[in-house]
């Protein structure tokens, strides 16, 4: 029985303008993740402040507690008691992370078979007391029986294109622990200060000692930090250095190592050793291994590729690095896409799969033979990571999970905190089709994983476009929700719980605001381009379609550096009205975006004003919303200039100048808000890591505004000449 909405209290409205937008609708059981079982009883529960003391039985060390419970002392003072007790009682969940939380007559008891369960029971009680404090209501007398569906619940922290202040990672650990995430996959690339290959680490990278301290801090909060160091492909952070150029598969391409050059392993193994040292006591080493499309091309590799195919080269590299991990006490994890691709079955597993069940069966009949031959006698101690960032029930995806199970292989599933084309607000569109992303896809894959008895998951948070971390949290927390309890809440119920937990507010149909923010972000990306978007510029350097960033580029001398030819033209005073007609559809959409901005701005400002906690989240969203809406405003101002009436044109030019000024103020505000948590500028001695990711084009935040820099210059020249 679902109990989130058993208790509704007084609704407090913010203002007449948004009186129906932001309301306080607390529920005493909007706990994230939702517990497996809640039982209500008659009688007195607990008011905030009623617990005064702590009793611990059978526990060697007091668990880390939140700000509310941490004030309790092991004393004889009068008041309610929180009792923590390790037991062997058969009624307590078998999982060491499971617990029973009982609340009655001003006291609370947490029973578990493991210290982890006592820790998580305290996290649940902390959330309930948080609401009791904020809404001045008691926690009812109840019993919560709880345990996770998946035992390994991890999120990715990817810092390939930026670093946040060190305090941010500590704060992230605290928040992830609150939501019962128990692992982090930390993708370093060049943001670890490697000792054995010091050239690889960026000048401002995290030191090994700093990372080890964070790892120990996380361990006390039941979070295991495991490193990810990319290997065969995605190696530009290493191969950008001339010192390592001889290890490239292609001399002019920094993407991939040569898998048959022994120097490749000398470098990678040094990086792995440093990453292991930086994450003491952890179990895993993620070696990457995805999207390796340009091997088998050098003189050393080509004969092997021609004779045995690329599978043999991938397997050679994978076996070498997995053997190294195991010899150094780590369980290797790797992405599974290259093995599935070389076996010819990967196309059936993902978002673009449109195969019929009959076609999938036929493809897998031949593909399974290749896979079985590839893994024969190996990988039994490794972890295949099956990633899918859309709705997960493609026949090929299900077939892959079943195949792993039959082979007795270890497999985890990976979904994405956010996905899709938008760089600023890349939220899911929450449709029920196979193309849905974000929270809907997270729920889909984790429900499938639970059905298939998968024990581990990773919620990725790729830094390709380097969005602010605050835009990841809704997805991160959804992965915590559905990896612990996949089936209890639907998506709307999750959003209500998320708003209550994170901010102490809620809003009817908040997802519609998300959609408007995302629509404005998609428009911002395309606003100034004849075709495509600013995300395509990252590939225009090499004349590559889409996001095929793993393909070998043309020679550097063929690069184009002036992108003004990609941008829209400006109104022509000799042909008034022609420009407006040419861009009619774009201008109509700009009108809608600007109209929606009033609603989104009002709601976001109201949420900022009324949130009881975590208000910085809304500062980020407000700054992003203000910034991305400068694009449609400029286009509409230019339309005002596209007239044969000189007075209208004169007023239009004033609108253009205002739009340019508004951009400068919005950009200044965005830089300031970002600087509160992240380093927004690389050191001067940093060697650029130029490849096809949007965020790799500059060493500061101006990678976001290269289009504005070009177009605004054109507009100013146009104003002067007209």
């Amino acid at each position: 029985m679902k109990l989130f909405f058993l208790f509704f209290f007084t609704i407090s409205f913010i203002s007449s303008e948004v009186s129906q937008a932001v309301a306080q609708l607390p529920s005493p059981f909007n706990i994230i993740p939702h517990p497996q079982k809640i039982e209500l009883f008659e009688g007195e529960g607990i008011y905030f402040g009623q617990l005064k003391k702590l009793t611990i039985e059978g526990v060697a060390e007091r668990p880390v507690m939140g700000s509310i419970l941490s004030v309790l002392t092991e004393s004889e003072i009068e008041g309610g008691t929180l009792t923590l007790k390790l037991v062997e009682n058969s009624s307590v969940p078998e999982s060491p992370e499971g617990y029973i939380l009982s609340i009655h007559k001003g006291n609370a008891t947490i029973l578990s078979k493991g210290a982890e369960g006592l820790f998580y029971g305290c996290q649940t009680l902390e959330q309930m007391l948080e609401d009791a404090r904020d809404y001045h209501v008691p926690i009812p007398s109840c019993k919560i029986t709880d345990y996770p569906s998946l035992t390994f619940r991890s999120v990715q922290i990817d810092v390939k294109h930026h670093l946040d202040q060190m305090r941010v990672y500590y704060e992230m650990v605290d928040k992830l622990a609150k939501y019962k995430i128990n692992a982090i996959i930390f993708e370093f690339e060049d943001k670890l200060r490697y000792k054995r290959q010091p050239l690889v680490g960026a000048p401002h990278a995290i030191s090994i000692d700093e990372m080890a301290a964070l790892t120990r801090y996380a361990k006390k909060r039941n979070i295991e930090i495991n490193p990810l160091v990319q290997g065969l492909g995605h190696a530009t952070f290493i191969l950008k250095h001339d010192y390592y150029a001889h290890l490239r598969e292609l001399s002019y391409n920094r993407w991939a190592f040569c898998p048959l050059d022994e120097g490749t392993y000398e470098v990678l193994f040094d990086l792995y050793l440093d990453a292991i040292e930086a994450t003491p006591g952890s179990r895993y080493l993620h070696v990457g291994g995805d999207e390796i499309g340009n091997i088998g091309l050098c003189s050393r590799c080509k004969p092997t590729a021609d004779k045995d195919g690329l599978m043999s080269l991938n397997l050679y590299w994978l076996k070498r690095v997995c053997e190294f991990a195991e010899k150094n006490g780590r369980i290797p994890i790797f992405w599974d896409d290259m093995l599935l691709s070389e076996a010819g079955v990967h196309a059936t597993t993902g978002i673009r799969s449109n195969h019929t069940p009959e076609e999938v069966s036929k493809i897998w009949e031949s593909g399974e033979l290749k896979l079985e031959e590839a893994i024969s006698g190996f990988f039994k101690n490794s972890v295949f990571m099956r990633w899918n960032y859309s709705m997960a029930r493609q026949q090929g995806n299900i077939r892959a999970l079943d195949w792993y199970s039959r082979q007795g292989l270890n497999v985890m599933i990976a979904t994405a905190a956010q996905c899709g084309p938008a760089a600023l607000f890349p939220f899911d569109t929450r449709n029920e089709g196979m193309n849905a992303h974000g929270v809907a896809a997270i729920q889909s894959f984790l429900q499938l994983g639970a059905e298939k008895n998968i024990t581990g998951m990773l919620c990725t948070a790729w830094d390709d476009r380097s969005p602010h971390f605050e835009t990841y949290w809704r997805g991160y927390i959804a992965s915590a929700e559905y990896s612990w309890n996949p089936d209890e809440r639907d998506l709307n119920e999750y959003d209500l719980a998320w708003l209550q937990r994170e901010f102490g507010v809620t809003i009817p149909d908040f997802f519609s605001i998300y959609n408007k923010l995302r629509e404005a972000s998609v428009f911002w990306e395309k606003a100034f381009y004849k075709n495509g978007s600013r995300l395509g510029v990252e590939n225009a350097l090499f004349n590559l379609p889409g996001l095929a960033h793993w393909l070998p580029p043309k020679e550097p001398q063929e690069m184009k550096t002036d992108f003004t030819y990609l941008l829209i033209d400006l109104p022509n005073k000799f042909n008034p009205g022609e420009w407006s007609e040419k861009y009619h559809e774009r201008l109509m959409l700009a009108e809608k975006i600007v109209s929606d901005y009033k609603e989104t701005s009002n709601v976001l400002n109201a949420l900022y004003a009324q949130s009881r906690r975590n208000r910085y989240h809304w500062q980020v969203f407000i700054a992003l919303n203000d910034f991305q809406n400068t694009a449609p405003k400029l286009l509409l101002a230019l339309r005002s200039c596209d007239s044969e009436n000189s007075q209208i044109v004169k007023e239009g030019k004033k609108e253009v100048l205002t739009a340019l000024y508004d951009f400068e103020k919005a950009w200044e505000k965005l830089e300031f808000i970002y600087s509160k948590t992240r380093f927004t500028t690389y050191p001067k001695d940093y060697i650029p890591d130029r490849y096809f990711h949007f965020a790799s084009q500059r060493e500061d935040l101006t990678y976001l505004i290269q289009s504005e820099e070009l177009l605004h210059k054109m507009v100013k020249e146009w104003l002067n000449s007209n």
Side-chain angles (χ1 to χ4, degrees):
M1 177 180 180
K2 295 182 179 180
L3 297 170
F4 339 116
F5 305 113
L6 283 177
F7 297 85
F8 292 96
F9 306 102
T10 303
I11 299 173
S12 59
F13 296 102
I14 291 177
S15 69
S16 58
E17 188 172 14
V18 289
S19 62
Q20 299 302 315
V22 181
Q24 314 301 327
L25 285 168
S27 164
F29 297 113
N30 261 344
I31 302 158
I32 296 179
H34 192 281
Q36 301 288 348
K37 183 179 180 182
I38 301 173
E39 299 172 86
L40 290 174
F41 301 113
E42 298 291 334
E44 178 188 347
I46 293 178
Y47 285 89
F48 179 77
Q50 201 167 357
L51 289 176
K52 299 294 185 182
K53 55 189 176 182
L54 177 68
T55 299
I56 304 178
E57 300 179 26
V59 184
E61 186 176 348
R62 174 174 175 162
V64 174
M65 295 177 172
S67 60
I68 297 174
L69 293 178
S70 62
V71 302
L72 301 182
T73 59
E74 297 179 66
S75 64
E76 298 301 323
I77 62 175
E78 292 186 4
T81 301
L82 168 60
T83 301
L84 307 181
K85 187 175 182 179
L86 287 180
V87 297
E88 293 298 328
N89 192 313
S90 61
S91 65
V92 176
E94 286 297 318
S95 168
E97 295 183 306
Y99 62 90
I100 292 177
L101 167 61
S102 300
I103 294 173
H104 190 57
K105 292 186 177 179
N107 297 303
T109 301
I110 300 174
L111 307 177
S112 179
K113 293 183 177 179
E116 304 96 324
L118 296 180
F119 175 80
Y120 287 138
C122 288
Q123 297 301 315
T124 295
L125 180 58
E126 182 90 13
Q127 291 188 30
M128 298 171 79
L129 288 169
E130 193 173 59
D131 287 338
R133 175 197 64 197
D134 291 347
Y135 301 112
H136 308 292
V137 294
I139 302 171
S141 179
C142 63
K143 176 182 176 183
I144 293 176
T145 303
D146 204 11
Y147 52 87
S149 174
L150 277 66
T151 57
F152 186 83
R153 305 174 302 281
S154 65
V155 303
Q156 178 197 32
I157 296 178
D158 181 9
V159 294
K160 66 167 59 75
H161 296 311
H162 85 282
L163 267 180
D164 285 274
Q165 298 163 17
M166 202 64 198
R167 67 166 179 85
V168 172
Y169 302 121
Y170 282 91
E171 291 167 359
M172 290 180 70
V173 165
D174 288 336
K175 184 182 286 194
L176 291 168
K178 172 181 178 179
Y179 294 118
K180 304 182 177 69
I181 288 293
N182 65 3
I184 293 170
I185 301 295
F186 207 112
E187 181 160 354
F188 291 123
E189 295 223 349
D190 63 353
K191 301 310 185 296
L192 184 68
R193 205 173 305 156
Y194 300 99
K195 294 189 300 186
R196 293 172 174 86
Q197 297 286 339
L199 185 61
V200 175
H204 63 313
I206 302 170
S207 75
I208 290 174
D209 288 342
E210 285 177 316
M211 196 67 214
L214 179 65
T215 300
R216 289 189 288 270
Y217 180 88
K219 193 69 173 178
K220 290 183 178 180
R221 288 147 183 83
N222 204 41
I223 291 179
E224 177 185 345
I225 298 181
N226 299 277
L228 193 164
V229 180
Q230 283 284 5
L232 189 52
H234 284 277
T236 61
F237 71 103
I238 305 167
L239 298 177
K240 67 182 179 182
H241 298 284
D242 291 340
Y243 181 80
Y244 299 111
H246 65 287
L247 300 177
R248 299 171 183 168
E249 178 74 0
L250 297 170
S251 61
Y252 58 85
N253 186 296
R254 300 166 295 167
W255 183 257
F257 278 102
C258 169
L260 296 184
D261 192 317
E262 195 60 27
T264 292
Y265 302 98
E266 293 174 7
V267 173
L268 288 179
F269 293 169
D270 278 350
L271 300 182
Y272 292 163
L273 286 172
D274 284 349
I276 290 171
E277 186 179 334
T279 54
S282 299
R283 289 173 290 170
Y284 297 99
L285 172 66
H286 200 313
V287 298
D290 62 321
E291 299 178 336
I292 306 163
N294 56 335
I295 57 173
L297 300 170
C298 74
S299 58
R300 184 186 288 108
C301 293
K302 196 172 189 308
T304 301
D306 290 344
K307 178 183 176 183
D308 301 319
L310 294 182
M311 173 79 87
S312 62
L313 292 171
N314 274 290
L315 284 174
Y316 178 76
W317 172 82
L318 197 52
K319 287 181 179 180
R320 290 288 303 274
V321 297
C322 286
E323 287 170 350
F324 176 86
E326 292 173 13
K327 288 178 182 177
N328 285 275
R330 293 292 174 108
I331 301 170
I333 301 175
F334 51 84
W335 307 112
D336 73 348
D337 58 299
M338 294 314 300
L339 289 178
L340 297 186
S341 293
E342 297 304 329
V345 299
H346 187 253
T348 70
T349 66
I351 186 173
R352 294 177 180 85
S353 174
N354 57 1
H355 300 86
T356 66
E358 294 76 17
E359 290 171 333
V360 171
S361 294
K362 186 175 181 180
I363 292 169
W364 272 84
E365 281 177 11
S366 61
E368 285 185 11
L369 296 175
K370 296 178 183 178
L371 287 172
E372 288 169 11
E373 180 181 355
I375 61 96
S376 178
F378 198 69
F379 300 133
K380 294 295 184 181
N381 297 320
S382 306
V383 177
F384 294 72
M385 190 156 274
R386 169 88 289 275
W387 58 271
N388 187 317
Y389 302 154
S390 62
M391 302 296 275
R393 294 187 183 271
Q394 298 90 347
Q395 288 298 310
N397 195 44
I398 295 171
R399 189 83 178 242
L401 295 178
D402 289 341
W403 183 82
Y404 288 129
S405 178
R406 290 196 305 273
Q407 298 297 321
L409 297 169
N410 300 313
V411 62
M412 295 184 187
I413 57 178
T415 184
Q418 52 175 243
C419 203
L424 297 178
F425 285 105
F427 302 135
D428 56 90
T429 54
R430 192 176 294 182
N431 60 66
E432 297 304 321
M434 296 304 288
N435 291 338
H437 291 294
V439 174
I442 289 169
Q443 180 197 45
S444 170
F445 208 179
L446 292 175
Q447 286 176 341
L448 177 62
E451 293 171 17
K452 298 296 182 181
N453 296 314
I454 302 298
T455 59
M457 77 90 193
L458 170 65
C459 183
T460 62
W462 298 106
D463 198 40
D464 301 12
R465 298 159 193 169
S466 207
H468 198 286
F469 258 129
E470 287 299 326
T471 67
Y472 289 126
W473 274 109
R474 180 167 160 267
Y476 272 161
I477 297 170
S479 74
E481 168 77 16
Y482 293 113
S483 61
W484 186 278
N485 189 346
D487 299 313
E488 190 67 32
R489 284 191 177 109
D490 65 26
L491 299 179
N492 291 325
E493 291 166 342
Y494 164 73
D495 270 344
L496 289 172
W498 168 71
L499 284 163
Q500 183 173 321
R501 283 273 54 78
E502 279 289 276
F503 314 106
V505 299
T506 193
I507 173 173
D509 195 22
F510 180 68
F511 188 76
S512 67
I513 299 299
Y514 258 37
N515 271 344
K516 288 181 171 64
L517 293 171
R518 185 183 186 281
E519 186 178 21
S521 185
V522 172
F523 183 88
W524 167 79
E525 289 173 3
K526 300 178 180 180
F528 302 142
Y529 286 84
K530 294 174 182 175
N531 296 293
S533 76
R534 65 184 75 208
L535 295 185
V537 170
E538 60 193 80
N539 298 311
L541 278 169
F542 303 115
N543 194 29
L544 296 175
L547 293 175
H549 50 264
W550 56 89
L551 297 175
K554 295 184 177 181
E555 294 293 338
Q557 61 265 27
E558 296 182 28
M559 291 183 183
K560 296 180 185 293
T561 56
D562 181 5
F563 297 117
T564 55
Y565 73 96
L566 296 169
L567 302 181
I568 60 173
D569 48 2
L570 299 175
N572 185 337
K573 64 181 179 181
F574 298 110
N575 295 292
E578 183 180 86
W579 185 86
S580 299
E581 181 63 28
K582 181 177 181 179
Y583 296 109
H584 174 74
E585 291 185 7
R586 189 177 309 204
L587 292 167
M588 292 301 98
L589 185 53
E591 284 185 354
K592 181 182 184 303
I593 299 298
V594 171
S595 177
D596 287 344
Y597 171 74
K598 181 177 181 181
E599 178 188 4
T600 57
S601 180
N602 285 343
V603 171
L604 291 175
N605 280 288
L607 285 164
Y608 172 76
Q610 290 298 305
S611 288
R612 290 173 165 85
R613 44 192 173 270
N614 199 17
R615 297 171 75 195
Y616 176 68
H617 180 90
W618 302 122
Q619 285 186 315
V620 172
F621 275 40
I622 290 166
L624 287 170
N625 193 38
D626 291 347
F627 167 69
Q628 68 185 12
N629 273 276
T630 61
K633 289 176 181 176
L634 177 58
L635 290 178
L636 294 178
L638 287 169
R639 184 179 64 179
S640 298
C641 300
D642 190 29
S643 173
E644 58 185 13
N645 186 309
S646 60
Q647 184 58 37
I648 293 176
V649 171
K650 183 178 179 180
E651 294 302 316
K653 289 181 178 179
K654 292 180 181 178
E655 290 181 32
V656 170
L657 290 172
T658 298
L660 295 176
Y661 174 80
D662 288 346
F663 164 80
E664 294 296 338
K665 300 303 293 183
W667 176 241
E668 181 182 346
K669 178 181 177 182
L670 186 70
E671 288 186 296
F672 172 72
I673 294 298
Y674 269 55
S675 70
K676 289 186 176 184
T677 59
R678 73 160 59 180
F679 298 105
T680 57
T681 303
Y682 277 55
K684 290 183 179 179
D685 54 348
Y686 179 73
I687 296 176
D689 186 8
R690 295 278 187 266
Y691 66 110
F692 314 110
H693 287 166
F694 183 49
S696 73
Q697 304 308 305
R698 296 279 181 89
E699 279 63 65
D700 59 19
L701 280 183
T702 61
Y703 74 88
L704 287 169
I705 60 166
Q706 293 178 86
S707 304
E708 279 80 3
E709 289 174 345
L710 290 172
L711 187 76
H712 290 185
K713 181 181 178 181
M714 291 167 57
V715 168
K716 291 173 184 176
E717 292 173 352
W718 175 84
L719 286 172
N720 290 333
S721 64
N722 283 273

